[in-house]
Amino acid sequence: MAKNSSSSTTVPDTVWLGRGRHLGPEPEQDVRRNLIALASAGVLDDFRDLDPVEAARSTVLYPRDESADPGPAARRLFEARWRVDDDVMVRAQLTTYDPEARRKDSEGVTWVLAAKAERAWAAHWPSPATMFWPDSDRVAWDHDTVPGVRLRTTNHLPKDDDELRRRLRDCARDSWFIHVVVHEAMTPDVRGQQPISAFLPPSLRHRVVEHRGTPEQAQIVDYAMKRELSVRMPRGGAVVLPTAPQGPDYDADRFTVRSVFLDGSEPTELIDRVKEFAVLPRPLPADAERALTRLRQGWHLLTPDEELVHARGMVTKYAEALDAMTNSRDLYREAAEAAQAALAEVTGGDGVPRPAVPGQAKADGSPLSALTKAFGRFRDPHK
């Protein structure tokens, strides 16, 4: 897959995006099992399991351009459709990719998920991630593309200064997730080790990565964050990290929480800041833009009504094209007949040009004028 880069376009408010890595042995099988289970339970309206080459193939009824092709590294493409709030349709595609050649096998299979709703996304809706992946700690689908970082848990920051700065830099530049750094003023007990994602609404739960700094890392974390991201780390507090480059709507003070109690209770202020950050305009990564284009233009899982509308639209399109071809053919035939008549007039019907009659040229123009006009219709059949 291409290295992550951003365009000037922002993520639409109807869209949910995710990109991560599955470190288990059978990622596609994990997806299939989950889709089958949710479809059987009535959670999903329907789903499709597609070969990427077949999914990108263009046919007469379903013409597709190259934007529908997920690329040579794609392993499998899954589509699912479900409803939220009773009548809002959500359509989503998940594509799995082979790791890049320079990566080790242990780094797993990359996945990209794009979901689009019929109206602005609501945080209380189910997470699209768990429509495809099982919501189980035993399935390792939730690793970020940034090494050493995972959803649904707390990620302790590296002890080494260079590694710490690299981690922060990579998360801000390359990750599609929201990153939160929490500093532990003192070592928490079991309850305090619970990730804040447990308190987030469902659709945010799999968009947030939590990093933890130990009590003795207060200064080194503060220095690294100031150096790399121009934000400060309060002792015993938390920061919602900006993206890189930093967006115009990000305010470091606004997204800094001075004190977070890690006692198992809900960190209300921090949760509110995460929710607020989640609705800010975010640059649309180039890979995400391509995934959204495939979702819009390469969608296969149509409802029966959509199939009928599409078929009627294609019939109308081809009928109009045929009508245009027929009209064009008739115009050219008329021009050809006019040319033949003009040629007969010029040659007298025997193929030999007739001599000019004095005074006729002034009255009727050149003997070739009719022929010239006839051939002119070939150049512009609409005249």
Side-chain angles (χ1 to χ4, degrees):
M1 292 183 62
K3 191 173 181 178
N4 189 52
S5 59
S6 296
S7 68
S8 58
T9 308
T10 57
V11 178
D13 63 0
T14 57
V15 166
W16 192 102
L17 295 169
R19 183 180 66 172
R21 293 178 299 132
H22 182 292
L23 301 190
E26 297 180 324
E28 290 82 11
Q29 193 63 19
D30 287 334
V31 175
R32 288 189 191 99
R33 292 191 186 108
N34 202 56
L35 290 172
I36 291 170
L38 293 182
S40 299
V43 176
L44 298 178
D45 286 357
D46 203 356
F47 71 90
R48 294 283 294 274
D49 179 355
L50 301 162
D51 175 82
V53 175
E54 291 299 320
R57 194 180 304 281
S58 183
T59 65
V60 173
L61 187 57
Y62 295 99
R64 308 183 195 280
D65 59 24
E66 61 183 11
S67 64
D69 188 353
R75 294 162 55 105
R76 205 71 187 170
L77 187 147
F78 299 92
E79 293 184 348
R81 188 180 68 237
W82 65 93
R83 296 180 186 275
V84 292
D85 289 349
D86 296 329
D87 61 347
V88 179
M89 182 75 74
V90 177
R91 297 170 175 83
Q93 282 183 342
L94 182 140
T95 309
T96 56
Y97 292 89
D98 284 321
E100 296 178 12
R102 66 176 182 272
R103 290 187 168 185
K104 300 177 182 177
D105 292 340
S106 61
E107 295 201 13
V109 170
T110 300
W111 54 266
V112 171
L113 198 167
K116 190 175 188 304
E118 292 177 329
R119 64 175 173 83
W121 201 275
H124 68 272
W125 290 349
S127 168
T130 48
M131 293 296 178
F132 293 92
W133 300 113
D135 195 8
S136 168
D137 293 336
R138 293 178 296 178
V139 181
W141 60 266
D142 57 349
H143 290 259
D144 197 349
T145 52
V146 176
V149 176
R150 191 173 185 179
L151 297 163
R152 305 188 297 173
T153 189
T154 55
N155 300 274
H156 287 282
L157 292 168
K159 301 292 185 182
D160 180 77
D161 182 37
D162 290 338
E163 289 184 19
L164 170 59
R165 289 171 56 186
R166 186 182 305 111
R167 172 76 59 84
L168 294 172
R169 186 167 57 246
D170 290 347
C171 287
R173 291 179 179 176
D174 300 332
S175 177
W176 290 10
F177 298 118
I178 297 168
H179 291 263
V180 179
V181 177
V182 179
H183 177 250
E184 301 170 343
M186 60 183 67
T187 303
D189 59 16
V190 174
R191 292 176 301 171
Q193 294 172 9
Q194 181 182 18
I196 64 166
S197 59
F199 300 102
L200 291 169
S203 275
L204 270 179
R205 203 164 293 158
H206 302 124
R207 286 186 58 200
V208 175
V209 173
E210 180 182 353
H211 306 265
R212 290 282 185 97
T214 59
E216 61 272 16
Q217 283 184 296
Q219 290 185 342
I220 188 175
V221 172
D222 178 55
Y223 175 79
M225 289 174 58
K226 180 182 177 182
R227 182 77 177 269
E228 295 297 331
L229 304 173
S230 300
V231 296
R232 303 299 298 267
M233 181 77 246
R235 184 183 294 270
V239 179
V240 183
L241 298 184
T243 56
Q246 187 170 303
D249 298 306
Y250 182 84
D251 183 334
D253 289 336
R254 179 65 181 169
F255 294 104
T256 298
V257 178
R258 300 296 170 185
S259 181
V260 177
F261 294 100
L262 300 175
D263 56 1
S265 61
E266 180 177 349
T268 307
E269 185 181 0
L270 178 55
I271 295 298
D272 288 343
R273 295 291 84 78
V274 172
K275 291 178 181 178
E276 186 178 340
F277 182 88
V279 298
L280 290 180
R282 288 170 63 87
L284 184 63
D287 282 349
E289 191 168 11
R290 286 188 285 270
L292 278 180
T293 300
R294 288 195 300 273
L295 180 62
R296 296 188 186 104
Q297 301 183 10
W299 182 252
H300 304 78
L301 191 59
L302 301 178
T303 66
D305 288 343
E306 289 170 341
E307 291 272 12
L308 183 58
V309 170
H310 176 78
R312 286 174 174 169
M314 294 303 296
V315 168
T316 301
K317 178 181 177 180
Y318 284 122
E320 290 173 350
L322 181 60
D323 187 54
M325 291 171 61
T326 301
N327 290 338
S328 179
R329 181 200 63 188
D330 292 343
L331 288 171
Y332 276 103
R333 183 177 60 196
E334 291 172 7
E337 291 173 351
Q340 289 177 345
L343 185 62
E345 181 182 346
V346 171
T347 62
D350 56 6
V352 179
R354 293 184 301 175
V357 178
Q360 186 178 7
K362 185 177 290 186
D364 301 331
S366 168
L368 297 177
S369 61
L371 186 62
T372 302
K373 290 179 181 179
F375 279 111
R377 300 188 67 179
F378 280 105
R379 292 194 298 271
D380 188 356
H382 298 291
K383 286 186 177 181

